[in-house]
Amino acid sequence: MSQTIRVRPAQLTDVPAMAHVNVQAWNETYRGLISDHILDDPGFTSARERQWNTVLTDPRFITHRVAVAEDNGIIVGIAMSGPGAQASDPLHLYVLYVLKQWHGSGAGTNLLEAVLAPWEAATLWVARPNPRAQAFYRKHGFRPDGIEKIEDDLPVVHMIRSDVADSRAAGGVE
């Protein structure tokens, strides 16, 4: 791993690599936490390719922010934010995955800031059995709001970041 992580807006030509990162990150993060049939589905990668192709080409996603992190031209992380479910909702972080080999490289922070400005209010869902990710989001001003659900066999926790003033008061963003 080098220290030449570059974050940029995702492009249509990135779709196969984005799908690969999505699937590999799920395997690295969720193996043993969700059913193997989900992770081992032979159509998993092609489904993610269709998903990312849709996100990057369908006008319904025009307001979404999609970024990739690359190290020497190899995509090692992906992120996407967009409008919440209701018009009055803050932005929502839908995706942020960095391959395990690049954890701690700064790619996650750079991706997060590429799709959510540090001062923007936002929400996200994070796996309850993923304390590393929860700590990362806390560092960036997110706090659990007590809402939980099961998604893809996995218990997930809802987190929210109100604004930068609230985050600083809570010891998050510096």
Side-chain angles (χ1 to χ4, degrees):
M1 174 180 60
S2 74
Q3 295 302 315
T4 58
I5 303 293
R6 181 174 81 105
V7 173
R8 60 172 175 77
Q11 302 169 10
L12 200 51
T13 55
D14 297 325
V15 164
M18 292 170 71
H20 171 78
V21 166
N22 202 161
V23 170
Q24 185 175 336
W26 270 51
N27 273 284
E28 292 173 350
T29 304
Y30 303 130
R31 180 71 64 185
L33 299 176
I34 64 174
S35 300
D36 286 347
H37 80 273
I38 293 171
L39 299 173
D40 296 335
D41 181 343
F44 193 17
T45 301
S46 60
R48 289 299 182 235
E49 283 186 20
R50 286 190 303 276
Q51 171 196 335
W52 289 114
N53 187 63
T54 299
V55 166
L56 294 176
T57 61
D58 190 314
R60 292 175 299 165
F61 296 94
I62 194 77
T63 60
H64 285 63
R65 303 169 191 169
V66 185
V68 297
E70 58 184 8
D71 185 2
N72 292 318
I74 298 169
I75 294 178
V76 301
I78 55 176
M80 178 177 73
S81 69
Q86 305 293 323
S88 61
D89 289 347
L91 286 169
H92 188 81
L93 180 66
Y94 289 98
V95 173
L96 196 155
Y97 295 115
V98 174
L99 297 178
K100 191 173 187 173
Q101 182 180 344
W102 283 270
H103 285 183
S105 69
T109 296
N110 292 340
L111 279 166
L112 180 63
E113 291 177 357
V115 299
L116 289 175
W119 62 86
E120 286 183 295
T123 63
L124 60 87
W125 290 97
V126 61
R128 185 178 345 130
N130 191 343
R132 180 184 176 92
Q134 289 181 42
F136 171 83
Y137 292 125
R138 279 189 181 94
K139 177 182 171 187
H140 293 282
F142 288 88
R143 299 287 174 258
D145 64 3
I147 301 170
E148 296 190 17
K149 67 179 180 177
I150 303 294
E151 189 172 282
D152 293 318
D153 290 346
L154 188 64
V156 293
V157 175
H158 192 253
M159 298 181 84
I160 188 162
R161 179 173 73 187
S162 299
D163 61 33
V164 74
D166 288 346
S167 297
R168 285 190 177 136
V173 178
E174 296 179 1

